[in-house]
Amino acid sequence: MANQAKVKENDLVFDPFVGTGSLLVSCSHFGAYVCGTDIDYNTIHGKGRSSRKNQTWRGPDENIRANLRQYKTENMYVDVMVSDASKPVWRNAALFDAIITDPPYGIRESTRRTGSHKDTTKSPDGLYAESHVPVSQAYHLSDIFTDLLNFSARHLVLGGRLVYWLPVYRPEYCEEMVPLHPCLQLISNCEQTLSSHTCRRLITMEKIKEPEVSATGLHLS
């Protein structure tokens, strides 16, 4: 994925579904500065139960920064933070040379975003309490990829690349299923077979133009 994105020295690479940070490790190997976000605090900060045999809780060496330290690339670590990929948190500018990610498919990892299924989440006076924390709700695959392409169109530099995995049910697959965006050119579409019925496709796209801005300041896809 780092090769597909043409990651090089001094690039700034971002993963919006960073998880345990494995993609950041490979990008840092090529000399890129790396950062990411994820909705799961425990995963990105190395808290909670460990996946190691005979170990109950994660140790101080089980986090993204420690992973980079083991590969001698800790100096390329910018930071990670808890954030919902469906909500804008970045200033409106081209920030990243590459966006590389493996979105959750809802199989091994749950697909979540902040929000509530309830109609009313405010107090009677119409204001949120200072301590209010939104609960999570389902984040559908189609919405994940729509948000990912829109985010990439806004925040990639011109010529920057988006590389991500797209899950596919093979008997029904056709090329028209690959999400497109007017600001992103499809560079490659490679298949990795998982079973006789399922696969995932490595999608590489390159930013070819900036999104248009309407009179109200909204980006037009």
Side-chain angles (χ1 to χ4, degrees):
M1 295 179 77
N3 282 319
Q4 286 290 98
K6 295 185 174 181
V7 172
K8 62 186 185 300
E9 188 175 2
N10 294 325
D11 277 355
L12 179 60
V13 179
F14 175 69
D15 183 349
F17 301 95
V18 70
T20 55
S22 59
L23 298 180
L24 301 189
V25 173
S26 58
C27 294
S28 68
H29 169 78
F30 291 102
Y33 293 95
V34 294
C35 56
T37 59
D38 201 281
I39 198 171
D40 192 324
Y41 173 91
N42 288 335
T43 298
I44 64 173
H45 290 296
K47 307 292 184 181
R49 292 191 173 276
S50 174
S51 58
R52 292 179 179 177
K53 185 178 180 180
N54 299 324
Q55 184 171 325
T56 305
W57 302 101
R58 289 190 177 103
D61 62 336
E62 293 183 80
N63 56 67
I64 295 174
R65 187 166 197 155
N67 290 344
L68 295 174
R69 187 181 306 129
Q70 292 176 38
Y71 286 92
K72 307 294 189 292
T73 58
E74 184 181 4
N75 60 315
M76 310 312 296
Y77 176 81
V78 178
D79 208 350
V80 293
M81 67 178 182
V82 178
S83 176
D84 181 350
S86 69
K87 304 291 192 299
V89 296
W90 300 93
R91 64 184 174 87
N92 193 17
L95 304 172
F96 308 114
D97 298 288
I99 296 174
I100 302 178
T101 193
D102 184 11
Y105 311 143
I107 302 173
R108 289 179 304 173
E109 313 91 351
S110 62
T111 55
R112 295 181 297 143
R113 61 178 171 180
T114 55
S116 175
H117 297 292
K118 298 179 179 179
D119 293 332
T120 304
T121 56
K122 297 181 180 180
S123 59
D125 60 4
L127 300 174
Y128 288 108
E130 291 185 4
S131 60
H132 172 74
V133 177
V135 298
S136 63
Q137 65 182 33
Y139 194 11
H140 298 292
L141 272 180
S142 59
D143 295 331
I144 289 177
F145 294 116
T146 297
D147 290 343
L148 177 61
L149 266 62
N150 285 333
F151 178 89
S152 300
R154 289 194 299 270
H155 296 297
L156 278 173
V157 300
L158 275 176
R161 287 192 168 189
L162 164 67
V163 182
Y164 70 94
W165 287 105
L166 177 71
V168 167
Y169 180 61
R170 297 181 73 195
E172 297 180 357
Y173 170 74
C174 62
E175 290 189 0
E176 287 72 22
M177 292 181 176
V178 178
L180 299 177
H181 192 286
C183 298
L184 304 171
Q185 180 181 359
L186 181 64
I187 300 297
S188 68
N189 175 357
C190 309
E191 181 185 38
Q192 181 186 42
T193 303
L194 302 176
S195 73
S196 60
H197 290 88
T198 60
C199 71
R200 60 179 188 170
R201 306 194 72 93
L202 185 61
I203 307 299
T204 303
M205 309 184 84
E206 186 171 300
K207 182 172 176 178
I208 56 174
K209 66 177 182 178
E210 296 290 349
E212 297 178 6
V213 181
S214 69
T216 59
L218 298 177
H219 284 274
L220 302 177
S221 299

Short mmCIF file of all heavy atoms in Angstrom, two decimals, residues 70-116:
data_model
loop_
_atom_site.label_atom_id
_atom_site.label_comp_id
_atom_site.label_asym_id
_atom_site.label_seq_id
_atom_site.Cartn_x
_atom_site.Cartn_y
_atom_site.Cartn_z
N GLN A 70 10.21 0.06 17.76
CA GLN A 70 10.83 -1.23 17.49
C GLN A 70 11.46 -1.28 16.10
O GLN A 70 12.44 -2.00 15.88
CB GLN A 70 9.79 -2.34 17.63
CG GLN A 70 9.30 -2.55 19.06
CD GLN A 70 8.20 -3.59 19.13
OE1 GLN A 70 8.23 -4.58 18.43
NE2 GLN A 70 7.22 -3.35 19.99
N TYR A 71 10.89 -0.53 15.16
CA TYR A 71 11.43 -0.50 13.79
C TYR A 71 12.37 0.68 13.57
O TYR A 71 12.72 1.00 12.43
CB TYR A 71 10.28 -0.46 12.78
CG TYR A 71 9.57 -1.77 12.64
CD1 TYR A 71 8.45 -2.06 13.42
CD2 TYR A 71 10.01 -2.75 11.74
CE1 TYR A 71 7.78 -3.28 13.30
CE2 TYR A 71 9.36 -3.96 11.61
CZ TYR A 71 8.23 -4.23 12.40
OH TYR A 71 7.59 -5.44 12.28
N LYS A 72 12.76 1.35 14.65
CA LYS A 72 13.71 2.46 14.61
C LYS A 72 13.20 3.64 13.79
O LYS A 72 13.98 4.36 13.15
CB LYS A 72 15.07 2.00 14.04
CG LYS A 72 15.67 0.79 14.73
CD LYS A 72 16.05 1.10 16.17
CE LYS A 72 16.86 -0.03 16.80
NZ LYS A 72 16.09 -1.27 17.00
N THR A 73 11.88 3.86 13.80
CA THR A 73 11.31 4.98 13.05
C THR A 73 10.43 5.87 13.94
O THR A 73 9.56 6.57 13.45
CB THR A 73 10.48 4.48 11.85
OG1 THR A 73 9.43 3.63 12.32
CG2 THR A 73 11.35 3.74 10.85
N GLU A 74 10.68 5.85 15.25
CA GLU A 74 9.86 6.64 16.16
C GLU A 74 9.93 8.13 15.83
O GLU A 74 8.97 8.88 16.08
CB GLU A 74 10.29 6.40 17.60
CG GLU A 74 9.42 7.11 18.63
CD GLU A 74 9.89 6.89 20.06
OE1 GLU A 74 10.93 6.24 20.25
OE2 GLU A 74 9.20 7.38 20.99
N ASN A 75 11.05 8.58 15.27
CA ASN A 75 11.19 10.00 14.93
C ASN A 75 10.24 10.44 13.82
O ASN A 75 10.05 11.64 13.59
CB ASN A 75 12.63 10.30 14.52
CG ASN A 75 13.07 9.50 13.30
OD1 ASN A 75 12.82 8.30 13.21
ND2 ASN A 75 13.75 10.15 12.36
N MET A 76 9.59 9.48 13.13
CA MET A 76 8.64 9.82 12.07
C MET A 76 7.20 9.88 12.59
O MET A 76 6.29 10.19 11.83
CB MET A 76 8.73 8.80 10.92
CG MET A 76 10.13 8.52 10.41
SD MET A 76 11.10 10.01 10.08
CE MET A 76 10.17 10.76 8.76
N TYR A 77 7.02 9.58 13.86
CA TYR A 77 5.68 9.56 14.47
C TYR A 77 5.23 10.98 14.78
O TYR A 77 5.89 11.70 15.53
CB TYR A 77 5.73 8.72 15.74
CG TYR A 77 4.45 8.66 16.54
CD1 TYR A 77 3.41 7.80 16.18
CD2 TYR A 77 4.28 9.43 17.69
CE1 TYR A 77 2.26 7.72 16.94
CE2 TYR A 77 3.13 9.35 18.45
CZ TYR A 77 2.12 8.50 18.06
OH TYR A 77 0.98 8.43 18.82
N VAL A 78 4.11 11.40 14.19
CA VAL A 78 3.55 12.73 14.49
C VAL A 78 2.61 12.61 15.69
O VAL A 78 2.88 13.16 16.75
CB VAL A 78 2.81 13.31 13.27
CG1 VAL A 78 2.18 14.66 13.62
CG2 VAL A 78 3.77 13.47 12.10
N ASP A 79 1.51 11.87 15.53
CA ASP A 79 0.59 11.61 16.65
C ASP A 79 -0.61 10.85 16.13
O ASP A 79 -0.83 10.74 14.92
CB ASP A 79 0.12 12.93 17.29
CG ASP A 79 -0.22 12.75 18.78
OD1 ASP A 79 -0.28 11.58 19.23
OD2 ASP A 79 -0.42 13.76 19.46
N VAL A 80 -1.39 10.32 17.06
CA VAL A 80 -2.70 9.74 16.75
C VAL A 80 -3.71 10.35 17.71
O VAL A 80 -3.35 10.79 18.80
CB VAL A 80 -2.69 8.20 16.88
CG1 VAL A 80 -1.81 7.57 15.82
CG2 VAL A 80 -2.27 7.76 18.28
N MET A 81 -4.97 10.39 17.29
CA MET A 81 -5.99 10.93 18.17
C MET A 81 -7.32 10.23 17.94
O MET A 81 -7.55 9.64 16.89
CB MET A 81 -6.14 12.44 17.97
CG MET A 81 -6.69 12.86 16.64
SD MET A 81 -6.88 14.65 16.54
CE MET A 81 -7.60 14.83 14.92
N VAL A 82 -8.15 10.31 18.95
CA VAL A 82 -9.49 9.73 18.85
C VAL A 82 -10.37 10.68 18.04
O VAL A 82 -10.47 11.87 18.36
CB VAL A 82 -10.10 9.52 20.25
CG1 VAL A 82 -11.51 8.96 20.13
CG2 VAL A 82 -9.23 8.58 21.07
N SER A 83 -10.97 10.16 16.98
CA SER A 83 -11.81 10.99 16.12
C SER A 83 -12.75 10.11 15.32
O SER A 83 -12.42 8.97 14.98
CB SER A 83 -10.94 11.82 15.17
OG SER A 83 -11.73 12.56 14.27
N ASP A 84 -13.90 10.64 15.00
CA ASP A 84 -14.90 9.97 14.18
C ASP A 84 -14.67 10.35 12.73
O ASP A 84 -14.70 11.53 12.37
CB ASP A 84 -16.29 10.43 14.65
CG ASP A 84 -17.43 9.79 13.88
OD1 ASP A 84 -17.17 9.12 12.86
OD2 ASP A 84 -18.59 9.96 14.29
N ALA A 85 -14.40 9.34 11.87
CA ALA A 85 -14.09 9.61 10.47
C ALA A 85 -15.24 10.28 9.72
O ALA A 85 -15.03 10.86 8.65
CB ALA A 85 -13.69 8.32 9.77
N SER A 86 -16.45 10.20 10.26
CA SER A 86 -17.60 10.80 9.57
C SER A 86 -17.81 12.26 9.97
O SER A 86 -18.68 12.93 9.42
CB SER A 86 -18.88 10.01 9.88
OG SER A 86 -19.26 10.17 11.24
N LYS A 87 -17.01 12.77 10.90
CA LYS A 87 -17.15 14.15 11.37
C LYS A 87 -15.89 14.95 11.04
O LYS A 87 -14.77 14.49 11.28
CB LYS A 87 -17.39 14.19 12.88
CG LYS A 87 -18.58 13.38 13.37
CD LYS A 87 -19.90 14.00 12.93
CE LYS A 87 -21.09 13.38 13.64
NZ LYS A 87 -21.24 11.94 13.39
N PRO A 88 -16.02 16.15 10.48
CA PRO A 88 -14.83 16.95 10.12
C PRO A 88 -14.15 17.52 11.36
O PRO A 88 -14.78 18.12 12.23
CB PRO A 88 -15.43 18.08 9.27
CG PRO A 88 -16.86 18.19 9.70
CD PRO A 88 -17.28 16.81 10.10
N VAL A 89 -12.84 17.31 11.46
CA VAL A 89 -12.07 17.85 12.58
C VAL A 89 -10.85 18.64 12.10
O VAL A 89 -10.19 19.30 12.89
CB VAL A 89 -11.60 16.74 13.54
CG1 VAL A 89 -12.78 16.04 14.19
CG2 VAL A 89 -10.71 15.73 12.84
N TRP A 90 -10.56 18.58 10.78
CA TRP A 90 -9.36 19.23 10.25
C TRP A 90 -9.72 20.56 9.60
O TRP A 90 -10.81 20.73 9.08
CB TRP A 90 -8.70 18.34 9.20
CG TRP A 90 -8.28 17.00 9.74
CD1 TRP A 90 -9.00 15.85 9.71
CD2 TRP A 90 -7.06 16.70 10.42
NE1 TRP A 90 -8.31 14.84 10.33
CE2 TRP A 90 -7.11 15.32 10.77
CE3 TRP A 90 -5.93 17.43 10.75
CZ2 TRP A 90 -6.07 14.67 11.43
CZ3 TRP A 90 -4.88 16.80 11.41
CH2 TRP A 90 -4.96 15.44 11.75
N ARG A 91 -8.79 21.49 9.63
CA ARG A 91 -9.02 22.75 8.91
C ARG A 91 -9.13 22.46 7.42
O ARG A 91 -8.56 21.49 6.91
CB ARG A 91 -7.90 23.75 9.20
CG ARG A 91 -6.53 23.36 8.71
CD ARG A 91 -5.50 24.41 9.15
NE ARG A 91 -4.15 24.02 8.83
CZ ARG A 91 -3.54 24.26 7.67
NH1 ARG A 91 -4.19 24.89 6.71
NH2 ARG A 91 -2.29 23.88 7.46
N ASN A 92 -9.85 23.29 6.72
CA ASN A 92 -10.17 23.04 5.32
C ASN A 92 -8.97 23.39 4.43
O ASN A 92 -8.86 24.49 3.90
CB ASN A 92 -11.40 23.84 4.92
CG ASN A 92 -11.97 23.39 3.59
OD1 ASN A 92 -11.66 22.30 3.12
ND2 ASN A 92 -12.79 24.23 2.99
N ALA A 93 -8.06 22.41 4.28
CA ALA A 93 -6.85 22.65 3.49
C ALA A 93 -6.28 21.32 3.04
O ALA A 93 -6.58 20.27 3.61
CB ALA A 93 -5.82 23.43 4.32
N ALA A 94 -5.45 21.37 2.00
CA ALA A 94 -4.73 20.18 1.55
C ALA A 94 -3.55 19.95 2.50
O ALA A 94 -2.62 20.75 2.55
CB ALA A 94 -4.24 20.38 0.11
N LEU A 95 -3.60 18.87 3.24
CA LEU A 95 -2.63 18.63 4.31
C LEU A 95 -1.72 17.44 4.07
O LEU A 95 -0.57 17.44 4.50
CB LEU A 95 -3.38 18.41 5.64
CG LEU A 95 -4.35 19.51 6.09
CD1 LEU A 95 -5.14 19.02 7.30
CD2 LEU A 95 -3.58 20.77 6.43
N PHE A 96 -2.21 16.41 3.39
CA PHE A 96 -1.52 15.12 3.36
C PHE A 96 -1.02 14.77 1.95
O PHE A 96 -1.70 14.98 0.95
CB PHE A 96 -2.45 14.02 3.86
CG PHE A 96 -3.07 14.33 5.20
CD1 PHE A 96 -4.44 14.53 5.31
CD2 PHE A 96 -2.29 14.44 6.33
CE1 PHE A 96 -5.01 14.83 6.53
CE2 PHE A 96 -2.85 14.74 7.56
CZ PHE A 96 -4.22 14.94 7.67
N ASP A 97 0.18 14.18 1.91
CA ASP A 97 0.73 13.70 0.66
C ASP A 97 0.13 12.36 0.27
O ASP A 97 0.10 12.00 -0.91
CB ASP A 97 2.26 13.55 0.78
CG ASP A 97 2.93 14.88 1.06
OD1 ASP A 97 2.99 15.72 0.13
OD2 ASP A 97 3.39 15.10 2.20
N ALA A 98 -0.34 11.60 1.25
CA ALA A 98 -0.97 10.31 0.98
C ALA A 98 -1.93 9.97 2.12
O ALA A 98 -1.69 10.32 3.28
CB ALA A 98 0.07 9.20 0.83
N ILE A 99 -3.03 9.32 1.75
CA ILE A 99 -3.97 8.77 2.73
C ILE A 99 -4.06 7.28 2.46
O ILE A 99 -4.45 6.87 1.36
CB ILE A 99 -5.36 9.44 2.61
CG1 ILE A 99 -5.26 10.93 2.94
CG2 ILE A 99 -6.37 8.75 3.53
CD1 ILE A 99 -6.54 11.70 2.71
N ILE A 100 -3.66 6.48 3.43
CA ILE A 100 -3.60 5.03 3.28
C ILE A 100 -4.39 4.41 4.41
O ILE A 100 -4.14 4.71 5.58
CB ILE A 100 -2.15 4.53 3.31
CG1 ILE A 100 -1.33 5.21 2.22
CG2 ILE A 100 -2.07 3.02 3.17
CD1 ILE A 100 0.14 4.82 2.23
N THR A 101 -5.36 3.54 4.08
CA THR A 101 -6.21 3.04 5.15
C THR A 101 -6.87 1.71 4.80
O THR A 101 -7.01 1.37 3.62
CB THR A 101 -7.30 4.09 5.48
OG1 THR A 101 -7.94 3.74 6.70
CG2 THR A 101 -8.33 4.21 4.37
N ASP A 102 -7.23 0.98 5.82
CA ASP A 102 -7.98 -0.27 5.69
C ASP A 102 -9.24 -0.12 6.53
O ASP A 102 -9.25 -0.46 7.72
CB ASP A 102 -7.12 -1.44 6.20
CG ASP A 102 -7.79 -2.79 5.98
OD1 ASP A 102 -8.81 -2.84 5.26
OD2 ASP A 102 -7.30 -3.79 6.54
N PRO A 103 -10.33 0.41 5.95
CA PRO A 103 -11.54 0.69 6.73
C PRO A 103 -12.13 -0.59 7.34
O PRO A 103 -11.95 -1.68 6.78
CB PRO A 103 -12.50 1.28 5.69
CG PRO A 103 -11.64 1.75 4.58
CD PRO A 103 -10.49 0.80 4.54
N PRO A 104 -12.83 -0.47 8.45
CA PRO A 104 -13.48 -1.64 9.05
C PRO A 104 -14.63 -2.11 8.17
O PRO A 104 -15.38 -1.31 7.63
CB PRO A 104 -13.99 -1.11 10.40
CG PRO A 104 -14.17 0.36 10.18
CD PRO A 104 -13.08 0.76 9.22
N TYR A 105 -14.76 -3.42 8.02
CA TYR A 105 -15.80 -3.98 7.15
C TYR A 105 -17.01 -4.44 7.93
O TYR A 105 -18.00 -4.85 7.36
CB TYR A 105 -15.27 -5.19 6.37
CG TYR A 105 -13.95 -4.98 5.68
CD1 TYR A 105 -13.02 -6.00 5.61
CD2 TYR A 105 -13.63 -3.76 5.09
CE1 TYR A 105 -11.80 -5.83 4.98
CE2 TYR A 105 -12.42 -3.57 4.47
CZ TYR A 105 -11.50 -4.61 4.41
OH TYR A 105 -10.29 -4.42 3.79
N GLY A 106 -16.94 -4.43 9.27
CA GLY A 106 -18.04 -4.96 10.06
C GLY A 106 -17.95 -6.45 10.28
O GLY A 106 -18.89 -7.08 10.75
N ILE A 107 -16.81 -7.08 9.91
CA ILE A 107 -16.62 -8.52 10.10
C ILE A 107 -15.73 -8.73 11.32
O ILE A 107 -16.18 -9.14 12.37
CB ILE A 107 -16.00 -9.16 8.84
CG1 ILE A 107 -16.91 -8.90 7.64
CG2 ILE A 107 -15.79 -10.66 9.05
CD1 ILE A 107 -16.32 -9.34 6.32
N ARG A 108 -14.43 -8.42 11.19
CA ARG A 108 -13.56 -8.51 12.35
C ARG A 108 -13.67 -7.27 13.22
O ARG A 108 -13.58 -7.33 14.44
CB ARG A 108 -12.10 -8.69 11.90
CG ARG A 108 -11.81 -10.06 11.30
CD ARG A 108 -10.36 -10.15 10.86
NE ARG A 108 -10.03 -9.08 9.92
CZ ARG A 108 -8.79 -8.84 9.48
NH1 ARG A 108 -7.80 -9.57 9.92
NH2 ARG A 108 -8.56 -7.87 8.62
N GLU A 109 -13.84 -6.10 12.58
CA GLU A 109 -13.96 -4.84 13.32
C GLU A 109 -15.36 -4.28 13.11
O GLU A 109 -15.92 -4.37 12.03
CB GLU A 109 -12.93 -3.82 12.82
CG GLU A 109 -11.52 -4.37 12.67
CD GLU A 109 -11.28 -4.91 11.28
OE1 GLU A 109 -12.25 -5.00 10.52
OE2 GLU A 109 -10.14 -5.26 10.97
N SER A 110 -15.91 -3.70 14.16
CA SER A 110 -17.23 -3.10 14.03
C SER A 110 -17.12 -1.77 13.30
O SER A 110 -16.10 -1.09 13.37
CB SER A 110 -17.86 -2.88 15.42
OG SER A 110 -17.06 -1.99 16.18
N THR A 111 -18.17 -1.41 12.56
CA THR A 111 -18.22 -0.12 11.89
C THR A 111 -19.10 0.80 12.73
O THR A 111 -20.29 0.60 12.85
CB THR A 111 -18.82 -0.26 10.48
OG1 THR A 111 -20.10 -0.90 10.57
CG2 THR A 111 -17.92 -1.11 9.60
N ARG A 112 -18.47 1.83 13.31
CA ARG A 112 -19.18 2.71 14.22
C ARG A 112 -18.87 4.16 13.92
O ARG A 112 -17.83 4.50 13.39
CB ARG A 112 -18.78 2.42 15.68
CG ARG A 112 -19.17 1.05 16.21
CD ARG A 112 -18.75 0.91 17.65
NE ARG A 112 -17.30 1.00 17.77
CZ ARG A 112 -16.65 1.59 18.78
NH1 ARG A 112 -17.33 2.21 19.72
NH2 ARG A 112 -15.33 1.60 18.83
N ARG A 113 -19.83 5.01 14.28
CA ARG A 113 -19.60 6.45 14.28
C ARG A 113 -20.39 7.04 15.42
O ARG A 113 -21.29 6.40 15.97
CB ARG A 113 -20.00 7.08 12.95
CG ARG A 113 -21.46 6.92 12.59
CD ARG A 113 -21.76 7.62 11.28
NE ARG A 113 -23.09 7.32 10.79
CZ ARG A 113 -23.58 7.81 9.65
NH1 ARG A 113 -22.86 8.63 8.92
NH2 ARG A 113 -24.80 7.48 9.25
N THR A 114 -20.08 8.28 15.80
CA THR A 114 -20.80 8.89 16.90
C THR A 114 -22.18 9.31 16.45
O THR A 114 -22.39 9.67 15.28
CB THR A 114 -20.04 10.12 17.43
OG1 THR A 114 -19.81 11.02 16.35
CG2 THR A 114 -18.73 9.72 18.06
N GLY A 115 -23.14 9.26 17.35
CA GLY A 115 -24.51 9.62 17.02
C GLY A 115 -25.47 8.81 17.86
O GLY A 115 -25.07 7.96 18.65
N SER A 116 -26.75 9.07 17.70
CA SER A 116 -27.77 8.38 18.48
C SER A 116 -28.94 8.01 17.59
O SER A 116 -29.27 8.73 16.64
CB SER A 116 -28.25 9.26 19.63
OG SER A 116 -29.32 8.63 20.31
#
